[in-house]
Amino acid sequence: MDRDLEEVGNFTKPESQHGQDAWLPITESRNGNAYYSAFHTLSSGIGVQALVLPVSFVTLGWSWGIACLSLMFIWQWYTSWLLIQMHESESGIRYSRYIRLSIAAFGEKQGKLLALFPTMYLSGGTCTTLIMIGGGTMKTIFEIMCGDACHVTPPTVAEWYWVFACAAMVLSQLPNLNSMARVSLIGAITAISYCTVIWVVSVVQGKPAGVSYEPVEANSEVAKLCNIFNALGIIAFAFRGHNVILEIQGTMPSSSKHPSRLPMWRGVNFAYIIIAACLLPLAIGGYWAYGNLIPANGMLDAIFEYHGNDTSKLLKGLTSLFVLISTLSSYLIYAMPTFDNMEFKYTSRFNRPCPWWLRLGFRVFFGSLTFFLAVGLPFLRDLAGLLGGVALPITLAYPCFMWIQMKKLPKYGAIWWLNWMLGVLGMILSVFVVIGATWNLVTMGLEIHFFRPQ
């Protein structure tokens, strides 16, 4: 009897009825562990947006740049801990999807209103951007390996996008998030590799002539403030991955004696130590090497612009290959919530798992849609700062408000004040980042051209 009662108390209650969790790609396999969580967190947490971090130092300078980068890292680490702790409620319900936790915390209408667009954007929008980055990197690798002596007509940019999208669609046929663990491991290794190679090469090769560390002077106080907001947005956008933290934890077994939050937190801690070891040297070393000369697109462009002749073709090609593999791995992780949502709608309506051919069709459709958006809206990448500001509350604000709601904290206590302060500050920062990104688009201009990727 005691054993039976203990089993009833296990954290195995599904988020929806009729065993639906067992049919969906995020939760159909629950044999994950701390290693898998570390692989997925690293692969989703380190991206090419980290290569732009030194650009934020151009506005903030050394002291404020390092301080803001460190504080933002600690802030995101804390909100990750909040999400991991809220994955399992006291009643035994597991929230393996960000949108489900948002609904539980804020109610049906408000929860969907707050979280649905940002999470779907971070899934679909990020995958679209990754096709642009991956296709562009393929083009770079071709140019490096082929050189001036090559007489082959190179594929167009749209064709490179299609090659990357096809590779992503093939790999996306892996059935669930746990089956992608080895891909995430490879993606994590390559992400660590290209971050390390880029900052080491930049520091070893030395500074180009004319490097200055004086913060760039703006034309007006308004422009200065907007530049600061934009710099903070660059730092905040470098720390991504919150919208898949709960999904990664949902792949783990859990019981009252062995809750999933313990191995998940161990994996995330390990991953965040590695992320800090990649991002901090990249930002500091990159700014030391290039100062105010850093290109707007970040470190990879700086390597080719200032050290293109000093760096071997093999090293440049290998670095670009690492970027390509890491981008492909990130695509799979960020696409998974959309795959899961598509199958959720089908299983909710028909009360049976998706047949293999429909699952294949969903994933090919999503890959084709993101390819179409990448080709049709090539300026979408220039809107990343603006849309990133809209999605910023998912990382920095919502987890704090969710914690207050879910845990029923006593008012005016220290933890209550801490989470309210961080939540409100995160929302304010989101508004400022949107203002700064909009200001940059207005002052620098946005070249809108459809179906002409460059």
Side-chain angles (χ1 to χ4, degrees):
M1 175 67 73
D2 290 341
R3 183 178 300 175
D4 292 339
L5 289 174
E6 182 180 350
E7 290 300 315
V8 171
N10 286 357
F11 290 118
T12 55
K13 188 180 294 185
E15 297 165 77
S16 50
Q17 297 176 354
H18 311 300
Q20 192 176 15
D21 269 3
W23 302 336
L24 301 177
I26 286 176
T27 50
E28 70 178 9
S29 172
R30 290 198 186 267
N31 61 353
N33 52 48
Y35 298 104
Y36 285 13
S37 73
F39 301 159
H40 291 315
T41 304
L42 280 169
S43 186
S44 62
I46 302 178
V48 290
Q49 76 282 351
L51 300 179
V52 192
L53 278 174
V55 178
S56 66
F57 281 52
V58 173
T59 300
L60 299 175
W62 278 116
S63 301
W64 282 107
I66 294 173
C68 291
L69 181 61
S70 302
L71 287 173
M72 202 76 74
F73 177 78
I74 295 170
W75 189 353
Q76 197 223 20
W77 201 342
Y78 171 69
T79 52
S80 295
W81 179 82
L82 295 181
L83 289 174
I84 291 169
Q85 299 300 313
M86 288 187 288
H87 177 87
E88 296 158 340
S89 71
E90 294 179 359
S91 60
I93 298 176
R94 296 185 67 176
Y95 301 105
S96 299
R97 294 152 186 89
Y98 197 103
I99 185 68
R100 303 286 181 264
L101 181 60
S102 179
I103 290 172
F106 304 128
E108 182 78 22
K109 291 183 179 179
Q110 190 173 357
K112 285 184 178 180
L113 181 65
L114 292 173
L116 186 59
F117 170 74
T119 53
M120 287 300 101
Y121 162 70
L122 281 174
S123 184
T126 301
C127 288
T128 301
T129 305
L130 289 172
I131 288 180
M132 298 178 184
I133 295 170
T137 305
M138 283 183 168
K139 180 176 179 289
T140 301
I141 294 173
F142 178 85
E143 292 171 349
I144 291 173
M145 303 309 294
C146 195
D148 298 331
C150 185
H151 301 292
V152 178
T153 303
T156 64
V157 175
E159 289 170 342
W160 283 122
Y161 287 2
W162 179 242
V163 172
F164 181 88
C166 287
M169 284 187 277
V170 170
L171 284 177
S172 67
Q173 300 309 316
L174 291 168
N176 53 62
L177 196 54
N178 270 340
S179 65
M180 296 179 181
R182 290 181 177 84
V183 178
S184 291
L185 172 60
I186 296 171
I189 293 171
T190 53
I192 295 167
S193 299
Y194 76 70
C195 285
T196 304
V197 168
I198 286 174
W199 76 259
V200 168
V201 168
S202 299
V203 171
V204 169
Q205 293 286 4
K207 307 175 185 178
V211 169
S212 171
Y213 303 112
E214 290 296 324
V216 176
E217 293 294 331
N219 298 328
S220 64
E221 289 299 319
V222 174
K224 183 178 181 180
L225 281 175
C226 289
N227 288 338
I228 291 173
F229 298 154
N230 191 60
L232 293 175
I234 290 173
I235 294 175
F237 200 55
F239 298 113
R240 60 179 188 172
H242 268 48
N243 64 309
V244 292
I245 284 284
L246 295 171
E247 283 80 355
I248 294 170
Q249 192 172 353
T251 65
M252 295 181 171
S254 190
S255 68
S256 56
K257 284 188 174 181
H258 304 285
S260 63
R261 64 178 178 272
L262 300 180
M264 182 66 187
W265 184 234
R266 287 198 299 269
V268 167
N269 276 338
F270 174 80
Y272 270 50
I273 291 171
I274 301 298
I275 290 171
C278 289
L279 268 55
L280 290 174
L282 189 65
I284 296 170
Y287 186 59
W288 177 87
Y290 305 111
N292 293 347
L293 298 179
I294 185 79
N297 289 329
M299 293 287 287
L300 198 58
D301 282 7
I303 290 285
F304 285 92
E305 181 175 342
Y306 298 112
H307 304 300
N309 297 326
D310 304 329
T311 307
S312 69
K313 182 185 292 188
L314 177 61
L315 187 60
K316 289 188 291 185
L318 196 60
T319 303
S320 299
L321 181 62
F322 288 157
V323 172
L324 173 61
I325 296 172
S326 172
T327 302
L328 193 57
S329 171
S330 296
Y331 182 98
L332 300 182
I333 295 178
Y334 278 90
M336 187 55 67
T338 301
F339 298 158
D340 189 85
N341 191 49
M342 289 177 175
E343 295 192 29
F344 175 80
K345 294 182 183 301
Y346 176 87
T347 55
S348 297
R349 181 171 182 178
F350 296 102
N351 193 28
R352 64 172 182 263
C354 278
W356 68 268
W357 55 267
L358 185 59
R359 173 174 280 190
L360 184 149
F362 280 153
R363 300 183 183 200
V364 170
F365 169 77
F366 178 77
S368 302
L369 177 62
T370 51
F371 164 74
F372 177 80
L373 292 174
V375 174
L377 307 174
F379 56 88
L380 188 64
R381 191 173 174 182
D382 296 329
L383 299 177
L386 177 62
L387 296 175
V390 175
L392 192 63
I394 282 184
T395 303
L396 301 180
Y398 292 170
C400 300
F401 294 135
M402 289 174 179
W403 185 260
I404 294 171
Q405 289 292 106
M406 298 290 286
K407 298 300 180 179
K408 307 299 180 185
L409 297 178
K411 287 187 177 181
Y412 312 119
I415 303 300
W416 187 89
W417 276 115
L418 173 65
N419 283 284
W420 261 111
M421 181 185 69
L422 292 178
V424 172
L425 189 60
M427 297 301 296
I428 294 174
L429 181 61
S430 173
V431 173
F432 285 164
V433 168
V434 170
I435 293 173
T438 304
W439 175 269
N440 275 357
L441 290 175
V442 170
T443 55
M444 298 178 63
L446 175 64
E447 184 180 350
I448 298 179
H449 46 86
F450 299 95
F451 297 98
R452 283 188 297 159
Q454 299 175 350

